[in-house]
Structure formats: structure tokens, C-alpha cells
Amino acid sequence: MSGSPAFPSLRPKYRAAIGMITPSANLVVERVTCAILSDFPEVSPHFSRTPVFGARDLFPDDYDWDGMLAAAHLLAQARPDVIVWNGSKGATLGFATDRELCRRVTDETGIPATTSSLALEAALGSLGARRIAVVAPYAGDYQNKLVAGFEREGLEVVAEAHPGIADNLDYAAVPDADIAAMIRDVATAQPDAILTWCTNFPAAYVVDTLERELDIPILDSVTLAVWHGLDMVGRADPRGRRWGRLFDGPTP
């Protein structure tokens, strides 16, 4: 026998890697990230977790910095091109806190970083949107905290809807029909954009259909994080259009 055996071309030609930090009780981030990146086969996703679970936040007014940076260091061992905190808490802490998180991650790992909240900031700036409606799975007290956080960032919250769920894991079980009903309800206020906010809230799957129905941009927190990570590695483009008009471009 001569020559080398021929192998089928099954191995993708990866060009970039995105590292994702996700809350420990989250079932949605990995599912949606992998689904979106199936349209970007040259980009591979890699995941690490930080403790966020149950109905009580042990760090209600800050991040668990040790847990967050430990997750980032584990991802950094694989040398991804960007590290993304795919979590929504920054909207209650303030976007400046997420900028500080990214600074610390980059200082300690040498890898650029972003978050769902900073992706939202970029997307709203690109759209010129200031009047928003917020759909999230939270209980009333946390929903109020979230709305107040957006308002501190200079956004006008013209409508909101939430089913009143307290346990982090249960957010992932909200049915599509319930999510769609809440989105249609807040759309009557005619916001510049609707936010589906919580990275364990499976709203990404209904975004494209409802954007076409309502003609209002819908910005999902998980999708935003993936989109911004793709943008940072130069790969965000209309291949992701089935996940919403966010992928129409141009990116900010």
C-alpha cells in the first residue's frame, strides 16, 4: 500500500473560539449559543460556570468576583479569542460594573471580554433606541430592581411584563406561548426595542417570528452575548438572521 489513507472531511475548519461564562443553574445559554453557532461553523463555543442558583442571590449588590474570575481563568487555559459573561445581572448592578468585570478579566488573562449588558448597550446605541419594554421571568421585587437599573442607564422603560418566578432554574421552563404573550402585551406601548432579559429565559426561539409580526426589534440577552462575541472576533454577519434582525448589521 502506498500513500496516506483518505479521511472524510468531518472536522470543521475552526477560525475562532468564544469562551462563555454562564450561571451554574442555567440550562439556556449553552443550548442557544450552540444553536446560533451552528450557523457559524468556523467558531467554536467553550463554557465555564460560576455559582448562581436557587431563589436567593448570595451577592445581591455585586458580583462574586472570586467565582467569576476563577471561571474566566479556566476558560483562558484554552486561549479563546474572547471571553463573554453570558449573564444578565449587570443590568441591575450598572453597566460600569460590567466594564470593570471586563477590565479585570482582560488584565488577568490577556483576553478581550464582554457581557450581555455591554452587548445590549452596543445594540441599543446602534439602533438609536432609548424607549424600551422589558420582558423577564422574575419575581416582582427583582423585576423592579431590573427596571430601576435600566432607568439609571438613561433608558425609558415604557412597559414591562414578568410571570413572577423566583427560582433561577425554573426560568428555563417558561413556555414559548407565555413568552410570546408577554412580548405582544408590551409591544402595545410601541417601544423602540423590546428586551427579553435573563440568560436562563428561553426567549431566543421566538424572537425572529415576533419581530416579523410586530415590526419592533427584540433584543434577547443570550443572543446579544453571542452576537457581541461574534462581532469581537469579526464573524457577526447575516448568517445568524434566523435569530433576529440583530444579525442584519452593520455591527457597531
Side-chain angles (χ1 to χ4, degrees), residues 11-61:
R11 183 176 180 178
K13 293 180 171 60
Y14 292 120
R15 297 289 182 267
I18 295 176
M20 290 272 178
I21 302 172
T22 181
S24 58
N26 195 298
L27 290 171
V28 173
V29 164
E30 284 129 330
R31 292 170 176 171
V32 171
T33 299
C34 290
I36 294 173
L37 293 186
S38 69
D39 296 320
F40 298 85
E42 77 278 17
V43 182
S44 59
H46 307 274
F47 300 96
S48 189
R49 290 179 175 251
T50 190
V52 182
F53 57 93
R56 180 168 171 257
D57 188 348
L58 298 179
F59 299 86
D61 299 312

Side-chain angles (χ1 to χ4, degrees), residues 31 35 43 64 76 93 121 164 170 184 190 202 215 241:
R31 292 170 176 171
V43 182
D64 171 8
L93 301 179
E121 185 178 47
D170 291 341
R184 290 187 178 107
Q190 289 298 302
D215 196 27
R241 183 60 182 82

Side-chain angles (χ1 to χ4, degrees), residues 59-63 88-99 117 120-121 124 130 132 134 141-158 195 197:
F59 299 86
D61 299 312
D62 205 353
Y63 282 127
S88 56
K89 187 175 179 179
T92 64
L93 301 179
F95 294 173
T97 304
D98 271 21
R99 282 189 280 274
S117 294
L120 172 66
E121 185 178 47
L124 291 175
R130 306 306 295 173
I132 63 170
V134 181
D141 288 348
Y142 195 84
Q143 183 80 352
N144 292 338
K145 186 176 182 179
L146 176 63
V147 168
F150 284 132
E151 290 176 341
R152 284 195 302 272
E153 299 297 333
L155 300 169
E156 180 185 358
V157 180
V158 298
L195 314 188
W197 201 255

Side-chain angles (χ1 to χ4, degrees), residues 3 20 61 172 186 194 232 245:
M20 290 272 178
D61 299 312
V186 300
I194 296 170
M232 290 176 70
R245 64 176 72 173

Side-chain angles (χ1 to χ4, degrees), residues 64-87:
D64 171 8
W65 290 99
D66 290 342
M68 191 75 77
L69 293 173
H73 277 290
L74 288 174
L75 282 171
Q77 292 172 8
R79 304 308 300 170
D81 297 281
V82 62
I83 292 175
V84 182
W85 162 230
N86 203 325

Side-chain angles (χ1 to χ4, degrees), residues 90-113:
T92 64
L93 301 179
F95 294 173
T97 304
D98 271 21
R99 282 189 280 274
E100 173 64 12
L101 171 63
C102 292
R103 184 193 67 78
R104 293 195 196 188
V105 168
T106 301
D107 283 354
E108 295 198 17
T109 68
I111 298 170

